[in-house]
């Protein structure tokens, strides 16, 4: 049996991207900063998001049944901080410029990439919900307009001028 | 409806840590390089791992019902490459020094942190399995021996001399 503190100390060394996860619908507009986002499969395009059930807006995400994942770039610490702060929902969305795609969930215009999703299923694991999300639209600023498969270059960067915000060892970092 | 290619291009901008996920038991010893690893909850300590069902060793992980997640440091690209290569299982484990904790799944001695887990449940999502894993032991090289909560420093790095391996934009990077 291991302690929650030991688990959190260990997990502080699992580097993650920093994302703002949002929803908008009959239950209102909400968003929070999340590191627990993970690609699942491309057939069908699916990602997952873990959310603490004690979070104020948890029931709103469940009721709206949609969400978007906005992956933050290196210079968007202020947006991460706003969506992890005690600010209320409307005050949070004063940070950043927001648009919409298919589901109506807020899409951050300056994000590295945004995934607009329908929540297909929810699994309860201890204190958290795991939302399994079907991706229905994607917004990617620097997407190549004419992708050309080049097997020998498949491990080379496709967009050399972009940087991601990373959370590692209880601090922000940049990569790219 | 979005294409798998667009999903993969988008996901290439979601930075991840690089992990070697291993198992050892009645079904043998296996390991693979994984980016789709995610913290779920600390109550009880739980993480998840996504694995393609078409992977040669998928059935072995399912049968052993245990796995460990070994988070790679900045200078362990060669281990990531070995466990993502066509090498067979025994050849892969010639890379790195391996030990065990509770379940018997191989633990990489030089990893930033290793989580030894029992697979509690498996959810099938398209081509992949999502293993929900209870953490039963942790190995962390630079763990503080006497953790002292310091609220005002909670966002400061606890281990300033460590670096993580990151995969972002289809290339390796270092942070920390």
């Amino acid at each position: 049996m291991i302690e929650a503190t030991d688990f959190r100390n260990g997990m502080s060394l699992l580097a993650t991207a920093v994302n703002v996860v949002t929803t908008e619908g009959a239950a209102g507009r909400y968003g929070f900063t999340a590191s627990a986002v993970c690609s699942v499969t491309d057939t069908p395009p699916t990602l997952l998001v873990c959310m603490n059930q004690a979070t104020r807006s948890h029931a709103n995400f469940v009721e709206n049944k949609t969400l978007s994942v906005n992956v933050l770039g290196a210079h968007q610490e202020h947006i991460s901080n706003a969506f992890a702060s005690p600010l209320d929902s409307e005050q949070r969305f004063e940070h950043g410029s927001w648009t919409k795609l298919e589901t109506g969930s807020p899409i951050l215009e300056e994000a590295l990439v945004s995934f607009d999703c329908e929540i297909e299923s929810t699994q309860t694991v201890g204190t958290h919900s795991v939302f399994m999300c079907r991706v229905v639209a994607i917004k990617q600023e620097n997407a190549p307009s004419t992708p050309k498969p080049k097997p020998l270059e498949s491990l080379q960067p496709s967009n050399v001028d972009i940087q991601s915000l990373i959370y590692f060892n209880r601090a922000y970092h940049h990569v790219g």
Side-chain angles (χ1 to χ4, degrees), chain A:
Chain A
M1 188 68 177
I2 67 163
E3 298 294 328
T5 303
D6 295 330
F7 178 79
R8 289 196 299 272
N9 285 339
M11 275 298 166
S12 72
L13 299 182
L14 183 74
T16 67
V18 181
N19 314 281
V20 170
V21 178
T22 68
T23 190
E24 181 162 354
R29 181 168 73 154
Y30 295 91
F32 67 103
T33 301
S35 57
V37 171
C38 185
S39 175
V40 179
T41 174
D42 64 9
T43 315
T46 306
L47 58 77
L48 65 79
V49 175
C50 301
M51 185 177 191
N52 194 325
Q53 292 163 0
T55 308
R56 278 180 300 175
S57 59
H58 178 266
N60 307 89
F61 279 81
V62 171
E63 187 176 338
N64 281 344
K65 294 191 179 66
T66 59
L67 61 78
S68 78
V69 173
N70 301 279
V71 182
L72 299 189
H75 301 296
Q76 295 180 308
E77 279 187 33
H78 63 291
I79 296 180
S80 170
N81 290 336
F83 279 83
S85 75
L87 292 175
D88 69 25
S89 182
E90 289 314 304
Q91 291 171 321
R92 291 181 179 194
F93 282 101
E94 291 171 3
H95 299 260
S97 302
W98 300 90
T99 182
K100 295 179 182 185
L101 291 173
E102 296 286 329
T103 73
S105 297
I107 299 290
L108 179 63
E109 292 199 339
E110 312 90 338
L112 284 186
V113 58
S114 297
F115 301 93
D116 194 26
C117 306
E118 294 171 354
I119 300 175
E120 291 231 315
S121 70
T122 304
Q123 183 176 0
T124 300
V125 183
T127 56
H128 280 60
S129 291
V130 180
F131 296 132
M132 212 60 71
C133 304
R134 177 76 66 91
V135 181
V136 296
I138 296 176
K139 180 176 183 294
Q140 183 179 342
E141 277 309 321
N142 298 308
S145 54
T146 54
K148 299 172 185 173
K150 296 178 183 177
L152 292 177
E153 296 176 12
S154 63
L155 286 175
Q156 298 304 310
S158 57
N159 305 294
V160 295
D161 56 346
I162 56 176
Q163 285 197 309
S164 176
L165 187 61
I166 299 284
Y167 200 65
F168 171 66
N169 202 11
R170 300 193 166 103
Y172 290 118
H173 300 267
H174 300 169
V175 297

